[in-house]
Amino acid sequence: MESSEGTGGLSGEIEVEAYRRLFPLPFYERHLLESVRPDARPLNRARDTTIALGPVASADGSALVKIGDTTMLAAIKLEVMTPSTDAPDEGSLAIEFQMPPICSPSVRPGRPAEVASVISKQLSDVMMSSEMINLKELSLISGKAAWMAYLDIYCLSADGCLFDAALLSAIAAFSHLQIPLVSVNDDGRVIAVFGELPEAKLKLELVNKEKRKLSLGSKPFSLTCILHEEYILADPNAEEESIMDTFVTVVLDSLGQLVSIYKPGGAALANMSTIKACIALTKSRVKELNNILSESLSEMEVD
């Protein structure tokens, strides 16, 4: 038989949870008065973040990223293509962000999530404007052959800040990417040589003599913040995003230079002091993410 103290504790928890569901905004505002969130995070702290490199063996580069419970799987496949006449010595990059129904109850089978196409466009814009990838490094033979890099990002669990997690997974996947060997066959066609080069093909002319990585430029990282009255909440989860509707996403490169600022909507206007505060939070986050990525790359080299 339960004690009255135990019953009272359970009853209190039920009452708190009921209040949270019925009056979510007042519930959060009571926490904000103490500069803390219901998950015990300070307002300016992002969730725990992990990066695992190379989870997809069949891809040329891949990464699994978790920011809190938000989980992204990014994979890159390279294919030989004929470059365009406008850029004969450059390769190309195609990015697609996908949200299968398993990632969130709000994503219905057979109906693509509207936010997926928006995030795909944002990722493409940031990747190109940051100049992290030099498309000339994807060239094989000027005017004849170049690499097309297909980057697919799958949201496995959607718990807020999808763009931030997707961008981080893209950067990690390109950091892990290895360019395969390429040879020219008897007909003059350029073909990729995957795996070990068979003895029968040792006489084929290799365009690149060894596998290599891209020499990535300054990497872009982002931080999304929620603005609510005078409060700024860094890295909101899905519950916080559903309650408060004014967001600012700041993208900085690894040198601290501003790449872009997104403010998709919301009633509140972001004044200059608020934007500066968000940029300051993003600078701290960029250092943190850089360190996490560097540690993951070091661990991969050791293995």
Side-chain angles (χ1 to χ4, degrees):
M1 184 175 179
E2 284 187 343
S3 66
S4 60
E5 182 180 350
T7 304
L10 179 60
S11 175
E13 290 179 7
I14 294 175
E15 289 179 2
V16 170
E17 186 60 27
Y19 181 76
R20 180 174 187 164
R21 290 177 179 273
L22 292 172
F23 308 102
L25 186 55
F27 175 81
Y28 263 86
E29 288 176 335
R30 291 181 63 176
H31 286 78
L32 295 181
L33 291 173
E34 304 296 329
S35 296
V36 71
R37 293 141 93 164
D39 62 5
R41 276 190 296 156
L43 304 188
N44 62 354
R45 182 178 299 172
R47 293 167 292 177
D48 292 340
T49 302
T50 60
I51 300 174
L53 299 175
V56 184
S58 59
D60 298 303
S62 61
L64 181 70
V65 164
K66 292 192 69 177
I67 299 180
D69 288 331
T70 297
T71 307
M72 298 286 171
L73 177 65
I76 302 170
K77 287 293 289 183
L78 296 175
E79 291 186 5
V80 178
M81 67 164 196
T82 301
S84 67
T85 55
D86 295 335
D89 58 349
E90 292 184 359
S92 295
L93 170 63
I95 300 175
E96 186 171 358
F97 176 77
Q98 301 183 42
M99 295 182 67
I102 62 167
C103 76
S104 170
S106 64
V107 180
R108 303 295 297 276
R111 295 181 181 179
E114 292 182 6
V115 70
S117 60
V118 175
I119 292 178
S120 292
K121 179 65 165 59
Q122 288 179 335
L123 289 169
S124 297
D125 291 345
V126 167
M127 298 286 282
M128 298 309 296
S129 61
S130 67
E131 298 182 348
M132 181 191 78
I133 299 172
N134 183 357
L135 294 179
K136 293 183 183 299
E137 287 197 20
L138 295 175
S139 176
L140 292 169
I141 300 175
S142 181
K144 294 185 177 181
W147 288 114
M148 165 65 83
Y150 293 97
L151 169 62
D152 289 297
I153 302 175
Y154 299 89
C155 179
L156 303 183
S157 177
D159 189 29
C161 291
L162 302 187
F163 174 77
D164 297 347
L167 179 59
L168 181 58
S169 70
I171 303 310
F174 272 106
S175 299
H176 175 256
L177 175 68
Q178 276 200 327
I179 306 294
L181 296 173
V182 172
S183 66
V184 179
N185 66 12
D186 295 336
D187 299 327
R189 292 180 58 198
V190 177
I191 57 175
V193 181
F194 298 96
E196 296 296 326
L197 195 64
E199 290 186 8
K201 294 186 178 181
L202 287 177
K203 294 181 181 180
L204 291 178
E205 178 186 352
L206 291 177
V207 177
N208 51 342
K209 303 302 181 184
E210 59 183 14
K211 292 183 179 181
R212 62 181 178 86
K213 288 181 172 291
L214 292 176
S215 54
L216 301 179
S218 190
K219 305 176 183 69
F221 298 99
S222 65
L223 177 66
T224 297
C225 297
I226 278 183
L227 311 182
H228 182 69
E229 297 178 353
E230 73 271 25
Y231 301 105
I232 300 176
L233 287 71
D235 182 32
N237 58 31
E239 183 181 39
E240 292 168 336
E241 288 183 345
S242 68
I243 296 169
M244 295 167 271
D245 62 356
T246 302
F247 304 88
V248 172
T249 298
V250 178
V251 184
L252 301 178
D253 65 23
S254 48
L255 299 178
Q257 300 298 313
L258 180 64
V259 176
S260 62
I261 295 178
Y262 295 100
K263 185 181 179 298
L269 296 175
N271 56 38
M272 187 54 64
S273 62
T274 301
I275 294 296
K276 287 182 178 179
C278 292
I279 291 175
L281 289 173
T282 306
K283 285 183 177 180
S284 298
R285 181 63 168 160
V286 167
K287 293 178 182 178
E288 179 185 3
L289 294 177
N290 243 330
N291 290 335
I292 294 172
L293 180 57
S294 297
E295 289 173 4
S296 299
L297 288 169
S298 298
E299 290 173 3
M300 185 187 68
E301 291 173 358
V302 171
D303 295 340

